[in-house]
Amino acid sequence: MTIHDRISRTALLLLLVVAGCSSPTQTRPSVTEADVQFPAAWRYDARTRPVSADSGMVVSTDSLASAAGVEILRAGGNAVEAAIATSFALAVVNPEAGNVGGGGFMVARLADGTEFALDYREQAPGGATSDMYVDEQGRVTDRGVEGHLASGVPGTVAGLEAAYLRYGELPWARLLEPAIRLARDGFHVAERHHNSIRDKRELLSKFPTSAGKFLPRGEPPPIGSSFKQPYLARTLQAIADGGAAAFYEGWIADSLAAEMRRGGGLINRRDLAAYEAVWREPVRAEYRGYEVVSMPPASSGGTTLTQILNIMEGFDLQTAGWHSAEAIHLAVEAMRRAYADRNYYLGDTDFVDVPLAMLTSESYADSLRRSIDRDRASVSEEFNRVSVESENTTHVSVVDVRGNAVAVTTTLNSGFGSGVVVRGAGFLLNNEMDDFTSLVGVPNLYGLVQGEANAIAPGKRMLSAMTPTIVINPQGRTELVTGTPGGATIITTVFQIVTNHIDFGLPVQTSVNAPRFHHQHLPDVIRFEKDGLPASVVAELRSLGHEVSERTGISGNVESIYIAPDGTMFGAADPRRYSKAIGY
Ligand code: GLY
């Protein structure tokens, strides 16, 4: 019996007792991992158990970073503080994505019901222009992708300090202790560290400071050696001593501005001094009685997730069955429509008018749903407005003993960002400028074809897909904290984690281990993870008119925490990469 049959059976049993399961409030089916079967060749097990704990849980892309967060929780810190400590530690042990030279987003729901979204996305320097990456022949150059000109003004340190100033209880410097220790005393180089540096050797060797740091004697640090980062330790110590001002105004700002001058970049002292993190109202989707709280612009994540959920709420997914061709077809049609809108309408709301209320309204979702043919794939050109696959973003989910829940997604954009390490300060700079529209209609590094709303302007934040998300159940209890890296696939991955939870009742680790699919309007193709769909489902989707293609790689790397009614926390780290859930 396949998972489809098993979950359909569960749904049928539920139908006998719950009237109208396609109504906005349905009962979440109770499914155990023993009920779930993945396709035979799928590489991950449905029966892996999550990590359980009673007092606190941190899930991040690295065990040392998760341990840093747990150290803070054990010291009496709250979930916001643990997320801050984990973020700083990721800058040390996960340098390809963790950062102080990049940016990110934090979404939280505190024990008292307070919900917030904090935007510390990078922004274009004052000297940026809309056509700065277009050459005289009208072609987009790679200067938005690598080197000094590719960087936006970093937001991470300002964002983490802003969160601390509002919600911190321990001394600020205590939150940086684990990161400073890891940078100063070094950590053991695992195969994955070695390989990720090896894979970016060409980029890193272009910049002497980067080569000096990551390619000692021209090679990645050997597996098993201790990797020490004394300049980064000094930078982190200065931030611990002087707060964000040390980064944006002190010697670190001088070093960053000098690095820019050396390499022909734009960020100057004025850009740094002017940077501020912005508190924003989270986007909230009502989905079958649950509330799904996520990130508004400058990320497209929450808005596009809400659009997909609003459209899907009108379909009975339980009866269709998990990963049935019918359920995937309907989800893909919702994704197609929501991504077309994302790429056309969305940009930094401090610069462009974005019809957020319309995009996230039920009535708009109704009209989009009515345009879906249950028996036939639509054609993306019919929704033509103007998509990404960054594998090097990173996510942290934290829950503390008091019931505070925090989701943080942060990035340098592609792996090791611009490739540039700031001389004397030891940290990498982002290449986030490529997330802007360099030229309308021309795909960026990851294939995103975006519009005017996301054009470059001084001080503007480039559109992101990062989707840190918290799910609240119909009784008002925080039930799921989640997020993932994965560029444009972030939103569809988070959608699948949410629907796996609410519609299909999948256990949290099973949901994370489950195969995933993705559609982003353009290119007009359903991509699914290798061996992730049975041949019969692929054939059915093709017969509906979809182009379907099997990816060679993986899709995302989810960090989820499920909080059970008795308060037990279940941390689910994604086996796709090297994530770690640690609880106590
Ligand atoms: N740099 C990828 C994103 O923010 O979506």
Side-chain angles (χ1 to χ4, degrees):
M1 184 180 280
T2 65
I3 181 175
H4 173 183
D5 299 329
R6 287 175 186 276
I7 295 180
S8 294
R9 190 185 55 173
T10 311
L12 274 174
L13 289 172
L14 278 162
L15 269 170
L16 296 175
V17 286
V18 182
C21 75
S22 64
S23 69
T25 44
Q26 69 179 16
T27 306
R28 182 174 171 255
S30 148
V31 175
T32 69
E33 56 274 18
D35 293 323
V36 180
Q37 274 179 8
F38 292 157
W42 178 243
R43 62 190 99 170
Y44 305 117
D45 194 348
R47 287 162 199 76
T48 318
R49 303 282 303 150
V51 173
S52 65
D54 298 324
S55 302
M57 179 72 68
V58 180
V59 193
S60 83
T61 42
D62 185 278
S63 58
L64 294 167
S66 296
V70 169
E71 178 182 320
I72 295 305
L73 292 179
R74 283 183 181 276
N78 59 44
V80 173
E81 293 175 296
I84 293 169
T86 308
S87 297
F88 279 121
L90 282 167
V92 182
V93 297
N94 185 199
E96 56 269 55
N99 64 80
V100 292
F105 301 104
M106 182 183 289
V107 169
R109 187 185 199 235
L110 305 181
D112 66 2
T114 304
E115 294 168 353
F116 70 81
L118 181 59
D119 175 343
Y120 47 98
R121 181 70 160 167
E122 300 91 328
Q123 58 190 37
T129 56
S130 63
D131 59 354
M132 62 188 279
Y133 301 118
V134 181
D135 68 15
E136 281 154 13
Q137 283 75 47
R139 289 177 307 225
V140 177
T141 67
D142 68 359
R143 292 197 297 262
V145 178
E146 66 177 52
H148 297 72
L149 207 56
S151 299
V153 182
T156 296
V157 180
L160 298 181
E161 185 188 69
Y164 172 78
L165 289 174
R166 221 174 248 201
Y167 297 109
E169 296 170 283
L170 298 177
W172 163 252
R174 177 71 184 91
L175 309 186
L176 283 102
E177 273 176 25
I180 294 170
R181 239 179 13 239
L182 288 162
R184 186 191 56 216
D185 303 342
F187 63 89
H188 184 86
V189 174
E191 195 178 344
R192 65 178 179 76
H193 298 116
H194 176 90
N195 291 349
S196 70
I197 295 171
R198 184 200 58 202
D199 293 349
K200 288 286 183 175
R201 186 205 302 253
E202 196 187 323
L203 172 70
L204 296 168
S205 57
K206 288 183 185 171
F207 308 101
T209 316
S210 312
K213 171 169 175 155
F214 289 111
L215 299 164
R217 291 174 296 281
E219 295 295 325
I223 296 167
S225 64
S226 172
F227 186 52
K228 296 183 180 160
Q229 303 173 71
Y231 289 112
L232 179 57
R234 195 165 69 116
T235 292
L236 292 168
Q237 187 63 58
I239 297 168
D241 296 340
F247 186 88
Y248 292 95
E249 291 167 27
W251 65 264
I252 306 172
D254 283 336
S255 306
L256 204 162
E259 185 62 52
M260 285 287 133
R261 286 195 299 274
R262 247 190 319 276
L266 292 180
I267 303 171
N268 59 30
R269 290 288 309 249
R270 253 192 331 279
D271 295 319
L272 290 164
Y275 186 88
E276 279 178 18
V278 184
W279 295 93
R280 301 202 188 271
E281 197 53 34
V283 180
R284 296 177 179 85
E286 291 294 328
Y287 185 68
R288 306 198 201 277
Y290 287 74
E291 185 178 56
V292 180
V293 182
S294 194
M295 194 69 214
S299 184
S300 61
T303 308
T304 303
L305 174 66
T306 298
Q307 271 195 265
I308 298 172
L309 290 169
N310 284 348
I311 296 170
M312 295 305 286
E313 193 169 24
F315 296 122
D316 180 352
L317 295 179
Q318 290 183 345
T319 300
W322 185 80
H323 271 204
S324 62
E326 182 185 357
I328 295 174
H329 167 65
L330 296 172
V332 161
E333 293 304 327
M335 292 171 184
R336 183 197 309 283
R337 286 155 177 78
Y339 272 73
D341 283 343
R342 172 204 186 274
N343 294 335
Y344 179 71
Y345 287 113
L346 295 192
D348 183 345
T349 44
D350 294 339
F351 282 75
V352 288
D353 287 332
V354 179
L356 284 179
M358 181 278 276
L359 291 172
T360 56
S361 69
E362 301 280 352
S363 56
Y364 183 57
D366 291 344
S367 72
L368 290 178
R369 194 183 315 108
R370 278 195 297 273
S371 73
I372 296 176
D373 183 338
R374 297 189 77 111
D375 301 318
R376 198 74 211 149
S378 310
V379 178
S380 281
E381 270 66 40
E382 288 168 12
F383 302 89
N384 236 355
R385 322 226 226 253
V386 245
S387 257
V388 6
E389 199 84 20
S390 162
E391 294 297 0
N392 278 291
T393 296
T394 187
H395 180 83
V396 184
S397 291
V398 187
V399 174
D400 68 23
V401 70
R402 296 177 239 174
N404 299 307
V406 178
V408 170
T409 316
T410 179
T411 192
L412 289 167
N413 196 17
S414 57
F416 296 89
S418 66
V420 175
V421 168
V422 176
R423 189 183 292 175
F427 63 90
L428 277 159
L429 287 167
N430 66 84
N431 60 341
E432 220 70 67
M433 291 295 283
D434 188 63
D435 275 353
F436 276 120
T437 308
S438 293
L439 194 59
V440 173
V442 175
N444 72 357
L445 181 62
Y446 307 111
L448 268 168
V449 184
Q450 306 179 108
E452 202 64 62
N454 188 32
I456 305 171
K460 188 174 173 184
R461 295 172 190 221
M462 58 295 288
L463 189 63
S464 170
M466 294 191 275
T467 315
T469 295
I470 296 177
V471 176
I472 298 154
N473 75 6
Q475 290 71 46
R477 204 173 51 74
T478 302
E479 204 166 81
L480 190 73
V481 185
T482 195
T484 181
T489 67
I490 290 175
I491 305 168
T492 58
T493 293
V494 172
F495 161 70
Q496 287 168 81
I497 295 294
V498 171
T499 185
N500 284 349
H501 179 76
I502 297 176
D503 289 300
F504 300 108
L506 261 59
V508 65
Q509 187 72 58
T510 309
S511 169
V512 167
N513 289 16
R516 299 195 267 261
F517 58 91
H518 174 70
H519 193 288
Q520 60 184 37
H521 175 240
L522 291 175
D524 190 352
V525 58
I526 302 174
R527 286 184 300 151
F528 68 99
E529 293 179 294
K530 184 168 165 39
D531 301 320
L533 288 180
S536 57
V537 170
V538 172
E540 242 182 287
L541 288 166
R542 288 193 173 127
S543 74
L544 291 168
H546 291 284
E547 186 179 334
V548 188
S549 137
E550 190 174 54
R551 300 187 46 160
T552 48
I554 51 165
S555 195
N557 190 61
V558 173
E559 288 75 31
S560 283
I561 303 174
Y562 166 65
I563 308 157
D566 69 358
T568 309
M569 304 156 197
F570 292 95
D574 202 321
R576 285 167 177 77
R577 287 206 256 167
Y578 33 79
S579 297
K580 186 78 176 167
I582 306 182
Y584 74 105

